[in-house]
């Protein structure tokens, strides 16, 4: 497994080793010991999977009281995945990073995105459809769920909207009602 740094030091790209031949390939995608040895969590309590069509934008989501670290993987398709640092004491507070995650062709690298607790998460579907699977370090906590507007002017995230060929992103009513970053109910400083 390769662990790659990103512009947000605690957010990591994980590339499992793939072993293939003319019959196909095999990969060990999660091993608790390997994750622990790499300084990543090895304990996940919930798996979530979504299917979305092109132009769907989900996020920016996070939870208070019971924050979730997320291990994100695209099973099929192509997304632009975003993590935003919400940790008030962090030198990267309010900074975001975006990543192209895809699994469209057999030779696409296997990639996971590790987003620790204390970050907001969202993604935009760039392919005709996409299936996204993510493991979480804590259970879903509806009372603590919060949303920051995907197009917040302070965060100024560079979503690749040009890939939608002039169509606006498809956003849920809940996400449309998200708050501005400057008014968001954020986790307390540690």
């Amino acid at each position: 497994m390769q662990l790659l740094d990103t512009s947000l030091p605690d957010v990591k790209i994980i590339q499992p080793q793939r072993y293939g031949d003319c019959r196909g390939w095999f990969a060990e995608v999660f091993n608790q010991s390997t994750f622990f040895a790499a300084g990543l969590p090895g304990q996940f309590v919930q798996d979530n999977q979504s299917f979305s069509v092109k132009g769907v934008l989900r996020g920016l989501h996070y939870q208070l009281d019971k924050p979730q670290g997320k291990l994100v993987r695209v099973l099929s398709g192509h997304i632009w995945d975003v993590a935003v640092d919400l940790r008030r004491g962090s030198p990267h507070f309010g900074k975001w990073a975006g990543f192209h995650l895809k699994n469209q062709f057999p030779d696409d690298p296997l990639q996971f995105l590790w987003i620790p607790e204390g970050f907001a998460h969202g993604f935009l579907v760039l392919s005709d459809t996409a299936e996204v699977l993510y493991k979480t370090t804590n259970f879903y906590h509806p009372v603590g769920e919060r949303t920051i507007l995907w197009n917040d002017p302070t965060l100024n995230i560079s979503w690749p909207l040009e890939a939608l060929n002039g169509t606006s992103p498809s956003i849920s009513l809940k996400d449309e009602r998200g708050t501005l970053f400057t008014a968001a109910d954020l986790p307390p400083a540690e």
Side-chain angles (χ1 to χ4, degrees):
M1 174 180 88
Q2 276 190 296
L3 192 63
L4 307 174
D5 292 328
T6 71
S7 62
L8 295 174
D10 295 326
V11 175
K12 304 290 183 189
I13 295 282
I14 301 166
Q15 290 185 328
Q17 180 70 39
R18 185 164 38 193
Y19 304 94
D21 58 27
C22 63
R23 301 169 298 148
W25 56 266
F26 168 85
E28 182 178 272
V29 295
F30 175 75
N31 179 304
Q32 187 179 55
S33 299
T34 305
F35 269 57
F36 278 144
L40 298 168
Q43 193 73 9
F44 294 93
V45 298
Q46 184 173 320
D47 281 5
N48 300 316
Q49 185 170 345
S50 69
F51 174 86
S52 306
V53 298
K54 186 173 186 171
V56 166
L57 194 151
R58 298 181 186 273
L60 300 162
H61 303 145
Y62 63 101
Q63 289 185 183
L64 298 177
D65 304 320
K66 297 182 181 183
Q68 295 178 318
K70 296 177 180 177
L71 184 63
V72 182
R73 177 181 181 197
V74 172
L75 299 175
S76 67
H78 179 191
I79 66 170
W80 173 252
D81 202 277
V82 174
V84 180
D85 192 342
L86 301 181
R87 302 169 301 169
R88 292 180 198 261
S90 167
H92 303 284
F93 174 71
K95 304 290 185 213
W96 63 271
F99 309 90
H100 284 282
L101 298 178
K102 55 187 170 179
N103 189 357
Q104 295 177 286
F105 306 104
D107 57 346
D108 281 343
L110 291 179
Q111 289 187 325
F112 296 79
L113 182 63
W114 165 243
I115 303 171
E117 295 176 357
F119 284 74
H121 172 247
F123 65 86
L124 173 65
V125 177
L126 300 177
S127 53
D128 289 340
T129 63
E131 284 188 79
V132 178
L133 175 72
Y134 59 97
K135 301 173 97 45
T136 64
T137 57
N138 212 336
F139 295 106
Y140 176 60
H141 180 61
V143 175
E145 184 178 35
R146 300 291 187 274
T147 303
I148 295 173
L149 285 170
W150 68 276
N151 58 352
D152 178 86
T154 301
L155 296 176
N156 196 26
I157 296 171
S158 296
W159 297 94
L161 299 178
E162 66 280 356
L164 303 183
N165 300 320
T167 304
S168 296
S170 176
I171 301 161
S172 72
L173 185 59
K174 176 186 81 168
D175 290 353
E176 283 182 1
R177 293 180 177 162
T179 60
L180 291 171
F181 177 70
T182 55
D185 189 8
L186 299 177
E190 292 181 3

